[in-house]
Amino acid sequence: MNLPLYIANRYLNGFYTGLFLLIVNLFLPVILLGLKDVWFLLLLIPLCYLLALFLVVYFFILKKSVNVINLISAISMAGVAVSTMALVVTLSVFNGFSDLVASLFTAFDPQIEITPVKGKTAPADDPILTEIKALPQVAVATECVEDQALAVYNGRQTMVRIKGVEDNFDELTHIRDILWGQGTFELHAADLHYGILGKRLAEALGTGAYFESPIQIYAPRREGQLDMSDPTEGFVQDELYSPSVVFEVMQSKYDSNYILTSIGFARRIFFRQGEISSLELRLKPGSDFEKTKAEIRRLCGTEYKALDRYEQQEDTFRIMKIEKFIAYIFLTFILVVACFNIIGSLSMLIIDKKDNVQTLRNLGATDRNIARIFLYEGRMIAAVGAVIGISVGLLLCWEQQQFGIIALGSSEGAFIVNTYPVSVHPWDIVIVFFTVLAVGFVATWYPVRYFTKRLLKD
């Protein structure tokens, strides 16, 4: 027997039974989620008051006598609807954050990155890479050389990732959209090589967007023996000058570690003449991305691997998927708790309709036919609750997208975005709908099976 239902029937009656169950069902998810999700509480409080007002009007004005069982069934439906709404809204918020992170990486990561399966580099004139560059769907192809080095500026030093790229890198990515400073995107001029630092790296070295003296770059020599009497001989030293700009991806992986420069500088300091560490591609607008990616992977064979933006940041997006899945499991548990009231309402309905069941039997109905009637009642509660919950959830998501009702911080510009990002994915709605139906159907099956066997026997 449902514990809230037992308490209500034992100590309360009439309208107060319904109001008690309403409060239990609507505020139980808030208690389980915790006070940190205050925005969820703010969404539920108005809904709770509206439903309570409806019950008051219906109970005292529209109908002088209302069956308590029908009232409990309506509250059970409301509990299912609120839990479904929470699933839709929460999963959509996780989708919003995932899409936001993907949009940040878009400014720096290519659509497709091709890297060797074995080793750090590959020959730049490899026939496989040449054939990939010649594909009609490829709009921009950029050769890159990337490795670690030591950066020193005015006594400060730190390990950095030097990424040498070709001059068309700004056509490959949206790098110009994330530059800060008085200069522009420029990698070299005559014999001078420029270094575009990540914003946090510039802060760590104390360079700012413009540094008067060049940054000293040290990279270990690939050949020869290290003379311990003079360790500096084991390194190649070169200089990078300021283009008066820094970039900000808003991801520490890049902003705190990367220096963009010309591929000629990177090849010279890392001794990678005629080699590349990756080939980065941008496809022509209107190209079938999945089909083109499959074609590129066919050409790569076992020598190279082709990664899209999500695969390039696999660890980041895997963590976000795990968090989303845990939230789904947790909210499904809340849905199960809400469906306990379906068990209570059906149990009371079966007991209340015992005389009617006997009449149906006298008319020739079998126990199986009678059980189907109650099963239909319970499944209708779950199905209607799912539809209402999904509808309200989609409405709240739309309002958040259009008006930004729930803010991330109290001050403007405290975060990357000012309001919670929301993105509705159709498959999530399908999964939520069938999850609610599955949980509701199981909650319906138990009381019907138990009570029809134990209480409806002659």
Side-chain angles (χ1 to χ4, degrees):
M1 178 67 68
N2 187 357
L3 181 59
L5 180 63
Y6 172 78
I7 296 174
N9 286 327
R10 179 66 177 83
Y11 298 103
L12 304 173
N13 56 47
F15 169 73
Y16 299 102
T17 301
L19 186 59
F20 173 81
L21 290 177
L22 179 66
I23 294 173
V24 169
N25 279 281
L26 292 182
F27 282 97
L28 182 59
V30 177
I31 295 171
L32 293 176
L33 283 174
L35 295 177
K36 63 180 181 179
D37 292 313
V38 178
W39 63 272
F40 187 65
L41 178 62
L42 295 177
L43 293 176
L44 286 181
I45 289 177
L47 181 62
C48 177
Y49 284 136
L50 287 174
L51 288 175
L53 179 62
F54 169 77
L55 290 175
V56 170
V57 173
Y58 183 75
F59 188 81
F60 287 108
I61 300 176
L62 299 181
K63 216 171 184 183
K64 297 299 183 181
S65 177
V66 176
N67 192 319
V68 174
I69 298 175
N70 294 336
L71 186 61
I72 295 173
S73 297
I75 295 172
S76 301
M77 187 183 299
V80 173
V82 171
S83 301
T84 305
M85 177 201 69
L87 272 169
V88 172
V89 171
T90 303
L91 296 183
S92 297
V93 169
F94 273 100
N95 293 336
F97 278 112
S98 180
D99 292 349
L100 174 63
V101 172
S103 68
L104 296 177
F105 285 128
T106 300
F108 200 90
D109 291 341
Q111 276 187 296
I112 298 178
E113 180 185 51
I114 300 173
T115 56
V117 174
K118 295 181 180 179
K120 287 186 176 181
T121 60
D125 58 354
D126 190 316
I128 295 177
L129 300 179
T130 303
E131 187 176 359
I132 291 174
K133 291 180 187 177
L135 288 174
Q137 298 91 339
V138 176
V140 180
T142 299
E143 296 180 354
C144 303
V145 173
E146 181 179 329
D147 212 336
Q148 283 191 319
L150 176 68
V152 180
Y153 181 79
N154 288 346
R156 297 186 182 183
Q157 61 183 25
T158 185
M159 295 299 298
V160 298
R161 297 285 297 183
I162 301 293
K163 182 169 183 174
V165 297
E166 294 186 278
D167 294 340
N168 63 354
F169 186 74
D170 59 332
E171 300 175 16
L172 178 82
T173 64
H174 300 283
I175 186 67
R176 290 185 181 273
D177 296 338
I178 58 173
L179 294 179
W180 295 82
Q182 300 299 318
T184 184
F185 178 79
E186 194 172 6
L187 300 175
H188 60 87
D191 294 334
L192 296 180
H193 294 275
Y194 298 121
I196 304 177
L197 282 66
K199 188 175 181 180
R200 294 187 186 180
L201 177 59
E203 294 171 354
L205 289 174
T207 64
Y210 172 76
F211 41 94
E212 296 181 356
S213 58
I215 297 176
Q216 305 298 318
I217 304 296
Y218 296 86
R221 295 183 182 274
R222 296 179 59 196
E223 298 179 355
Q225 291 183 334
L226 178 64
D227 185 0
M228 296 304 296
S229 62
D230 187 8
T232 58
E233 288 297 320
F235 292 87
V236 179
Q237 179 184 354
D238 212 328
E239 298 177 339
L240 287 175
Y241 292 84
S242 173
S244 300
V245 288
V246 295
F247 67 83
E248 185 180 20
V249 184
M250 296 185 180
Q251 293 294 314
S252 180
K253 173 182 177 179
Y254 294 126
D255 295 342
S256 301
N257 297 288
Y258 271 74
I259 298 180
L260 277 178
T261 186
S262 66
I263 192 170
F265 177 88
R267 279 175 170 161
R268 184 171 69 250
I269 198 170
F270 295 128
F271 295 93
R272 297 294 185 184
Q273 296 299 331
E275 298 179 351
I276 62 172
S277 57
S278 65
L279 177 65
E280 300 184 349
L281 308 175
R282 180 173 70 82
L283 304 183
K284 293 179 180 179
S287 301
D288 188 328
F289 181 80
E290 293 299 329
K291 185 177 180 180
T292 304
K293 184 173 71 171
E295 175 65 14
I296 291 174
R297 286 180 171 173
R298 185 189 65 81
L299 294 174
C300 288
T302 59
E303 299 294 324
Y304 299 93
K305 53 185 178 181
L307 307 175
D308 60 27
R309 286 195 177 106
Y310 289 95
E311 292 166 334
Q312 293 167 41
Q313 308 296 336
E314 185 177 6
D315 292 341
T316 300
F317 289 106
R318 183 189 295 116
I319 291 172
M320 298 188 73
K321 287 181 180 178
I322 292 173
E323 291 176 341
K324 178 181 174 182
F325 178 74
I326 292 174
Y328 166 77
I329 295 297
F330 186 70
L331 290 172
T332 301
F333 170 74
I334 296 176
L335 174 64
V336 171
V337 175
C339 285
F340 284 167
N341 284 304
I342 298 180
I343 298 177
S345 61
L346 280 181
S347 301
M348 294 184 64
L349 179 65
I350 293 173
I351 297 173
D352 184 65
K353 301 298 182 181
K354 192 172 182 179
D355 294 337
N356 301 91
V357 168
Q358 187 60 43
T359 302
L360 291 175
R361 281 177 173 170
N362 294 335
L363 293 174
T366 64
D367 288 347
R368 186 174 182 181
N369 297 136
I370 296 170
R372 284 180 178 177
I373 296 174
F374 295 112
L375 284 173
Y376 180 78
E377 167 82 12
R379 289 171 180 175
M380 282 295 295
I381 293 174
V384 174
V387 172
I388 295 174
I390 289 175
S391 301
V392 175
L394 292 176
L395 177 62
L396 291 175
C397 290
W398 178 81
E399 290 179 347
Q400 180 67 13
Q401 289 174 333
Q402 297 297 319
F403 308 109
I405 300 172
I406 310 300
L408 273 172
S410 57
S411 59
E412 190 82 9
F415 297 91
I416 298 175
V417 291
N418 296 321
T419 61
Y420 275 91
V422 174
S423 178
V424 179
H425 292 183
W427 272 112
D428 286 342
I429 304 303
V430 173
I431 291 172
V432 168
F433 181 72
F434 282 103
T435 298
V436 176
L437 289 186
V439 173
F441 285 11
V442 171
T444 300
W445 173 82
Y446 172 77
V448 171
R449 179 177 179 273
Y450 179 83
F451 281 98
T452 51
K453 283 187 175 181
R454 298 295 182 89
L455 300 178
L456 300 182
K457 293 295 183 182
D458 290 333

